[in-house]
Amino acid sequence: MKTYMTIEDTIGNTPLVRLQRIPGSLAQERGNVILAKLEGNNPAGSVKDRPAASMIRRAEARGEIKPGDTLIEATSGNTGIALAMVAAIRGYRMILIMPDNLSLERRASMAAYGAELILTKASDGGMEYARDLAMKMQAEGKGKVLDQFANPDNFQAHIDTTGPELWEQTGGEITHFISAMGTTGTIMGVGMYLRGRNPDIQIIGAQPAEGSQIPGIRKWSTAYQPKIYDPSKVDAFELIEQSKAETMARRLAAEEGIFGGISSAGALIAALRVAERVENATIVFIVCDRGDRYLSTGVFNPAD
């Protein structure tokens, strides 16, 4: 009998595509190529499908959880959606805690996968408050927190999958890797793998400029900095302005046909800045999710 894949088997192996118009002279005259890793092609629509599957599978293998258990996670959206999908596949009850100022599409996606959603007031402290509440619920015996911010299974997913994919897809020619920084699992894991293959590869993080609020890009206070994050493993940082990221998200869709989210556009801005400074480089950035996850925010609405 023929063996068929399950939906879980479709996580990863996402396309890597070349930008054709936006780079302009930065590519043609300087000999650079800018490549986009299309993580929105994962089944739940984001790069977070990888660590979500990794955290649940590995916790199962260690005997820490079993199907039927309750899992809890604080999320700004993409990890929650991915965990809700994997929980549905593998038979867990999923409780997700999210600030109420994040997009309606994210809430609806979590609910569609059967997760229970707890919305907290953004004015109470945003993601920091949500993280504290998740740990409080675990202490009260209400479920197991996977804790994407401190769980090495998060970045291990990118050591095992995303990094090797990029190395193979570029034929080892990648010179710069750029990612938005949220939980930092992507930049940590991919960076560790790539630097293990070539220590000269530059790892660059996109962070929000002062006063900017970009979903998926964070700069944490010292008290809440993810435990998986090691700043020594990032070579440089690019500060991204919210308005520029929103404009670039519209350009990415209209000029390249890539409908990505706002943090993806922020990573592209960082990639273009790098391309202004280097020559004959192969620059890869992560398109971490799909733009339709942000339609209710109005970012993609036509100008009046």
Side-chain angles (χ1 to χ4, degrees), residues 7-81:
I7 188 68
E8 190 174 357
D9 296 324
T10 68
I11 296 172
N13 293 310
T14 55
L16 184 70
V17 301
R18 177 175 58 86
L19 296 196
Q20 301 178 80
R21 296 178 180 84
I22 289 177
S25 62
L26 297 177
Q28 296 175 2
E29 297 174 8
R30 302 182 71 86
N32 298 322
V33 60
I34 298 180
L35 303 171
K37 181 72 163 158
L38 303 183
E39 289 296 295
N41 285 38
N42 282 305
S46 84
V47 69
K48 300 297 188 179
D49 288 20
R50 300 176 188 259
S54 174
M55 289 190 292
I56 290 179
R57 288 174 188 157
R58 292 172 187 275
E60 278 183 356
R62 291 190 294 267
E64 297 172 0
I65 59 174
K66 62 184 184 303
D69 287 350
T70 297
L71 307 178
I72 303 170
E73 192 72 13
T75 178
S76 62
N78 283 331
T79 301
I81 295 168

